[in-house]
Amino acid sequence: MFFEGSEKKAEILIDVEQLSLLTDINDEFWSQLVNYSQAHILSSISNNYCKAFLLSESSLFVWQDRILILTCGETQLVKAVEFFIQKFGIKVIKQLMYQRKNEYFANAQPSCFGDDIKLINRYLPGKAYRFGEMDSHHNYVFHLDNGFTADNDDITYELIAYQISEQASQHLTQPNLSAQEIRKFLCIDTILPGFIIDDFVFSPYGYSLNAINEQQYLTIHVTPQIDSSYISFESNIDLLTLAPILLEILTPKSFDLMSFNEEFFEQKLMKFIPAQYISKSRVSKKLDNGYLVNFTNYILPQTTFIEPIILNISGENHAL
């Protein structure tokens, strides 16, 4: 069974002197925004700083001055971005960033990064980059080009695990697996002490988690199928320091790390990435909006031959 776990991501920062996203906007608006991306809200949690919505395809976080939304599958996140712009206008937006990662089966998507950026450019000017090689793992990044400069302490991280071990995949695709069992497998209590947690187990496979603690957040999305396994972690908690734990649990054949405004990215790679992984690509750029973006892809070298994958030529032709 195939599912495109690779996420699209948008972050919109707004002028809080004009609008507070936490106090001035009701949940009905957020439901409409999510629906525009062809997803829907499953549940939510909140504290004094943040609302976190668990979606049918990934997550939405709302703070007073920004939103962060991720959607996966065949969603059209750019339509939700357009809805936000049309609702509030361009003058309230201080910065907008839009990302798309390399997808397993890009041909099955309703749009590509170029299509999405053309739509955003109807409203807002910007610049776009590709971090990573075209024929390998890569991440497209677009940002609004308007003289905005990010705060140095606005630091976030992404860790994406591909082709997790057979043992991890088998564990995460067990029938009737509970959220509590998945949290235990991923060592959530160790990673997230004191966090409010909202999670959901999908049928037949898949798992999503949102967690918040004051202004800290973490979201996890699990597509465990062996043929297209993909597990993502997005947070303002330092995922580089947590990488040894996560990589030991999942033992992926490859993984990506991306950070925004992490000054010591290189030093932390040397300290925390297990020696058996080797770096395949590494890209660094200080964007014009003030964010220092670092991206790297690691692989686990294969030393033995394996059997080819047998394709079902009578089924859906994603892999053909």
Side-chain angles (χ1 to χ4, degrees), residues 114-281:
D115 297 329
D116 295 350
I117 296 313
K118 286 178 182 178
L119 179 56
I120 295 174
N121 269 151
R122 294 179 190 172
Y123 303 93
L124 296 164
K127 294 183 177 180
Y129 304 84
R130 188 187 74 238
F131 287 78
E133 302 297 331
M134 177 65 79
D135 63 347
S136 183
H137 290 204
H138 56 270
N139 205 310
Y140 291 108
V141 177
F142 167 91
H143 72 81
L144 178 60
D145 186 22
N146 65 345
F148 171 88
T149 301
D151 294 334
N152 290 332
D153 60 357
D154 185 2
I155 305 171
T156 56
Y157 305 86
E158 301 173 19
L159 189 157
I160 312 296
Y162 297 83
Q163 295 176 282
I164 61 175
S165 70
E166 184 175 351
Q167 293 80 7
S169 177
Q170 288 177 348
H171 184 90
L172 291 168
T173 54
Q174 293 179 81
N176 304 314
L177 195 63
S178 69
Q180 183 178 1
E181 289 170 321
I182 296 176
R183 289 196 298 271
K184 182 178 180 180
F185 178 75
L186 295 175
C187 296
I188 296 301
D189 289 341
T190 301
I191 296 171
L192 299 174
F195 276 69
I196 303 170
I197 291 175
D198 183 22
D199 55 0
F200 187 86
V201 181
F202 294 89
S203 179
Y205 313 119
Y207 173 77
S208 288
L209 175 145
N210 285 343
I212 54 175
N213 182 11
E214 296 187 343
Q215 297 194 52
Q216 290 183 309
Y217 77 96
L218 172 70
T219 184
I220 303 172
H221 301 284
V222 176
T223 301
Q225 294 91 309
I226 193 66
D227 290 339
S228 57
S229 61
Y230 176 98
I231 300 183
S232 68
F233 302 82
E234 156 86 27
S235 186
N236 56 5
I237 303 167
D238 190 346
L239 294 178
L240 298 177
T241 62
L242 294 176
I245 298 173
L246 302 175
L247 295 174
E248 182 179 3
I249 294 168
L250 301 172
T251 319
K253 291 183 180 178
S254 67
F255 64 91
D256 298 342
L257 287 166
M258 196 163 189
S259 70
F260 292 78
N261 280 348
E262 170 52 76
E263 182 181 356
F264 302 105
F265 187 79
E266 192 78 18
Q267 296 93 318
K268 289 183 177 181
L269 293 182
M270 296 176 63
K271 182 176 181 180
F272 294 112
I273 302 306
Q276 66 265 34
Y277 287 98
I278 63 171
S279 177
K280 189 172 184 296
S281 65

